[in-house]
Amino acid sequence: MSSATVEPAARGGRLDPLGVVLAVTGLAGLLLPFALARANRLVAGTAESLVAALPPGAAAATLAVLAAALGLALPRTGPWLRLAAGVAGLAALALAIGLVPQHLVAEGDRLARVGPGAGFWLLVLVFAMLLADATARLSLSPAARLGLLAAAILAVAGLFASGHFDGLSILREYANRAPAFWREGAQHIRLAVGSLAAAAIVGLPLGIACARRPGLRAAVLPVLNIVQTVPSMAMYGLMMVPLALLAAHVPLAAALGIRGIGAAPALIALFLYSLLPIAANTAIGIAGVPTSVLEAADGMGMTPRQRLFRVELPLALPVILAGIRIVLVQNIGLVTIAALIGGGGFGTFVFQGIGQAATDLVLLGALPTIALAFVGAVLLDALIDALERTPPP
Amino acid sequence: MRIAVDRRRVDPLRPSRVPAGAASDARPADPAAARPAGLLRRALPAVLRLAALALLLAFLFMPERFAPLFAPLTQNGAPAIYARTSLVDLTLGHLGLVFGATLAGGLVALALGILVTRPRGAAFLPLSRTLVQIGQTFPPVAVLALAVPAVGFGAEPTLIALFLYGLLPIFENTLAGLRDVPAAAIEAARGMGMTPRQRLLRVELPLALPVILAGLRLSVTINMGTATIGSTVAATSLGEVILAGLQSGNTAFILEGALVVATIAVLVHDALLILERRVGRRAAGAAA
């Protein structure tokens, strides 16, 4: 999100080309089904348009807000106005979709399911793109981006807590397994962050050693690179086999809870995947510290140890954090697949849902995973940006 | 025409833009390679690659010959070798999915990348940069799972996820490669009287090609993994062998499937890396 100012093209008229594309896509979204109503969680549903899915007053208000927000995107306007249009559009959609179940489902019908349709998702995409474009053009400071993220999380959490979405099918799926949801969520974060922490403990010293010795670097990094290219499902499988044999033949290992399936093979696989970005970026960051700075540190009489901790590591920190960002986002995604070997995490719902052909269960696992990865990326990006803007003394 | 190309720009000094998998490319040239004693060391990777390829092909075409190796991993007389579908068919299906979708996504990415870096598409540049950054935080398996409700089971949801991850890294690297073409090179081309089209085809794209190929390699690497997972939604891929092993508790199937998938992924990655280095050397030579 850097250097994002674009001067108006000389030949351009008053219309913003991106705004036109978004408005046309948004119109298509208004025509597509807004919601899907199904008699139970497995059968195919009937599509309902926005007008049919909402009470007349709410439908009119939603349409008015959406049309106005799409209209605001059309002319060449300032980014703040476009930001407001994006927020207004998303808020209207969130409020509207929560009203659909009460309108479509008869009182007391516990089997019927109502979920968002293609039109809803397309409109969310359009307004999210408008919002993303506005924030990119604003090139906000790291603190402002974090503020925006916090506000978005609070707003979404507030809507969920208020029970506004409770009638929707995904929330019905959640209500049936709320304790499991939070348990798997905690397990997801534990696996992603735990393997990251272990990889940092090993990868940082390894990266420093690689920066000092080109021979070690030439030996270690290509091997770690090969590890990264192994598909995750194969990696989990490869970790399972020795652990299963260990558990079968060494009673002590089995007593310690080491088994071929579960969290242990997942943790080891994630740890191996995490090593390359951390070690390589540490090596690159430290090797990138200018020689003049190192000479100055030596001139001040620093010991090698002081030089490492006071000069080299602080200067390499943005690059090292960039590696940690890669690992965090990558791990949050890869943990999902660990569910296949009984490792737990949100993937449990994804693969259960795939097995039962239950769409809402898939969404219950996939949407939180995407949200986690997105929040992790924004947090670390802001941190890296803040460090780069304020160079250490 | 003499243009200094800053080679570091191609390398992962900006890791948030350049794929993690590219990180080791920055390693310095092996000094031992220049000496005659280094000949063996230089030939070793090629020998290892050929050996791995030979072993892989032998296993794919005659898996039953390897049964004694895998038999100790089975229990209660379960089969040691996966035979429900031929491994050759699964491999061809897997590679077809990956290369078909990555190629399609890559071509779209290339066209979009060129479009938004021309003056006419400048309005889309900030958003497209943001979108590829956000898009790549979406886990491929989540995209795969979300595609299932939209298009059903089979090859389609896998193709959607593969197309998207063929598009995003290649698009990002096309943008980075075109942006990092030295202004002096473009000026020189303009001075020689090239039209914008000639500049793009003869100067900008050739100079950006190594970075674009790095994006292709990342795409293919991610997609090899996603195609494997695609077997959980009934796509024809090598993940089927691992999945069958997981479902029936047959460790031999798991190991076979994992070894085949891992070997193919590593060999394909290797081949793309060699191609990339060759093209990179040529681009640097042409610019100098």
Side-chain angles (χ1 to χ4, degrees):
Chain A
M1 297 181 200
S2 57
S3 67
T5 45
V6 171
E7 59 271 24
R11 72 172 77 76
R14 287 197 206 95
L15 289 181
D16 181 82
L18 174 69
V20 173
V21 172
L22 288 183
V24 170
T25 318
L27 276 182
L30 286 174
L31 297 175
L32 284 169
F34 189 72
L36 289 173
R38 289 169 297 162
N40 63 53
R41 74 193 271 255
L42 299 179
V43 297
T46 52
E48 304 286 352
S49 71
L50 197 152
V51 177
L54 289 169
T62 308
L63 270 179
V65 174
L66 294 181
L70 287 177
L72 270 181
L74 280 175
R76 287 184 192 279
T77 46
W80 285 108
L81 205 58
R82 300 166 80 81
L83 186 81
V87 171
L90 287 176
L93 286 170
L95 289 174
I97 198 72
L99 295 175
V100 175
Q102 294 158 318
H103 185 63
L104 287 184
V105 178
E107 193 83 31
D109 183 349
R110 299 203 54 79
L111 286 178
R113 296 296 180 112
V114 172
F120 173 84
W121 292 119
L122 192 60
L123 284 165
V124 167
L125 187 71
V126 163
F127 288 110
M129 280 170 86
L130 194 59
L131 198 63
D133 181 53
T135 47
R137 283 171 201 248
L138 281 170
S139 38
L140 296 168
S141 71
R145 267 185 276 154
L146 287 184
L148 208 59
L149 178 71
I153 293 176
L154 278 179
V156 172
L159 273 172
F160 275 104
S162 71
H164 182 69
F165 295 133
D166 279 359
L168 290 175
S169 51
I170 305 170
L171 270 288
R172 301 282 289 275
E173 210 64 66
Y174 163 78
N176 289 339
R177 53 195 100 220
F181 179 84
W182 294 107
R183 191 176 62 233
E184 300 299 354
Q187 172 77 350
H188 201 107
I189 293 171
R190 252 199 315 270
L191 280 173
V193 178
S195 55
L196 166 63
I201 291 169
V202 176
L204 281 172
L206 189 63
I208 294 168
C210 285
R212 302 262 186 269
R213 291 179 209 177
L216 183 70
R217 179 183 174 140
V220 168
L221 293 191
V223 174
L224 293 182
N225 207 359
I226 290 177
V227 168
Q228 281 263 324
T229 57
V230 175
S232 52
M233 214 165 132
M235 182 70 103
Y236 287 129
L238 289 176
M239 293 303 121
M240 280 177 71
V241 175
L243 286 181
L245 290 179
L246 196 67
H249 298 291
V250 183
L252 179 67
L256 285 173
I258 294 174
R259 282 172 306 142
I261 55 165
L267 260 179
I268 300 175
L270 291 169
F271 166 79
L272 291 176
Y273 277 128
S274 310
L275 273 181
L276 177 76
I278 294 179
N281 279 36
T282 307
I284 291 164
I286 290 202
V289 175
T291 327
S292 59
V293 175
L294 296 180
E295 281 165 2
D298 289 340
M300 288 166 70
M302 284 193 189
T303 64
R305 193 190 168 78
Q306 283 173 324
R307 201 179 76 175
L308 177 66
F309 283 100
R310 298 208 198 148
V311 179
E312 291 173 284
L313 281 179
L315 282 176
L317 195 58
V319 185
I320 298 175
L321 281 177
I324 290 186
R325 177 215 192 266
I326 293 173
V327 170
L328 184 67
V329 172
Q330 180 179 279
N331 277 5
I332 289 173
L334 290 174
V335 170
T336 316
I337 302 149
L340 281 178
I341 57 164
F346 284 129
T348 314
F349 304 124
V350 173
F351 289 112
Q352 270 177 17
I354 287 176
Q356 303 172 6
T359 304
D360 300 318
L361 197 50
V362 173
L363 291 177
L364 186 67
L367 293 180
T369 309
I370 291 176
L372 268 185
F374 179 70
V375 169
V378 173
L379 279 179
L380 274 166
D381 278 341
L383 190 63
I384 294 165
D385 219 13
L387 279 173
E388 280 176 343
R389 285 184 191 209
T390 52
Chain B
M1 174 161 67
R2 187 177 174 79
I3 299 144
V5 174
D6 183 359
R7 292 289 301 154
R8 290 189 317 172
R9 296 196 164 200
V10 182
D11 278 322
L13 280 168
R14 257 170 307 165
S16 58
R17 289 194 206 298
V18 180
S24 76
D25 309 350
R27 67 170 187 245
D30 185 354
R35 297 195 300 269
L39 196 67
L40 185 73
R41 265 184 75 185
R42 207 163 37 150
L44 190 64
V47 171
L48 282 178
R49 272 180 210 125
L50 280 178
L53 183 64
L55 205 60
L56 174 74
L57 290 176
F59 185 76
L60 288 181
F61 284 98
M62 303 174 290
E64 62 289 343
R65 295 274 181 89
F66 293 78
L69 276 176
F70 290 98
L73 291 169
T74 60
Q75 286 164 344
N76 308 329
I81 296 294
Y82 186 77
R84 211 175 304 156
T85 322
S86 112
L87 288 177
V88 178
D89 288 351
L90 287 179
T91 305
L92 290 179
H94 194 106
L95 291 176
L97 272 177
V98 171
F99 284 107
T102 310
L103 208 63
L107 286 177
V108 174
L110 198 62
L112 286 178
I114 291 171
L115 189 76
V116 298
T117 48
R118 305 301 103 186
R120 209 172 284 183
F124 296 90
L125 187 59
L127 176 68
S128 48
R129 263 199 214 132
T130 312
L131 277 188
V132 285
Q133 278 172 7
I134 296 176
Q136 289 187 89
T137 63
F138 284 26
V141 59
V143 175
L144 179 68
L146 290 181
V148 173
V151 295
F153 285 84
E156 290 88 350
T158 316
L159 279 172
I160 290 178
L162 295 181
F163 176 81
L164 191 67
Y165 281 87
L167 194 121
L168 291 175
I170 298 178
F171 182 63
E172 179 166 30
N173 279 31
T174 305
L175 288 186
L178 289 175
R179 185 196 55 212
D180 286 352
V181 170
I186 298 178
E187 275 312 308
R190 197 173 287 158
M192 288 165 71
M194 286 193 188
T195 62
R197 189 193 173 83
Q198 286 173 324
R199 268 203 317 263
L200 175 70
L201 292 178
R202 296 207 200 146
V203 179
E204 293 180 65
L205 280 181
L207 285 177
L209 193 59
V211 189
I212 298 174
L213 285 179
L216 173 75
R217 181 163 50 88
L218 180 67
S219 278
V220 169
T221 306
I222 296 175
N223 281 349
M224 290 297 269
T226 313
T228 317
I229 304 161
S231 59
T232 60
V233 296
T236 306
S237 84
L238 285 163
E240 191 181 310
V241 184
I242 305 176
L243 202 61
L246 288 171
Q247 281 163 350
S248 62
N250 188 333
T251 316
F253 286 1
I254 297 177
L255 190 62
E256 276 160 46
L259 284 175
V260 170
V261 171
T263 310
I264 292 178
V266 170
L267 284 175
V268 166
H269 178 267
D270 238 24
L272 289 172
L273 194 59
I274 292 169
L275 174 75
E276 197 181 310
R277 288 203 177 128
R278 198 158 286 179
V279 168
R281 233 172 284 144
R282 191 179 299 169

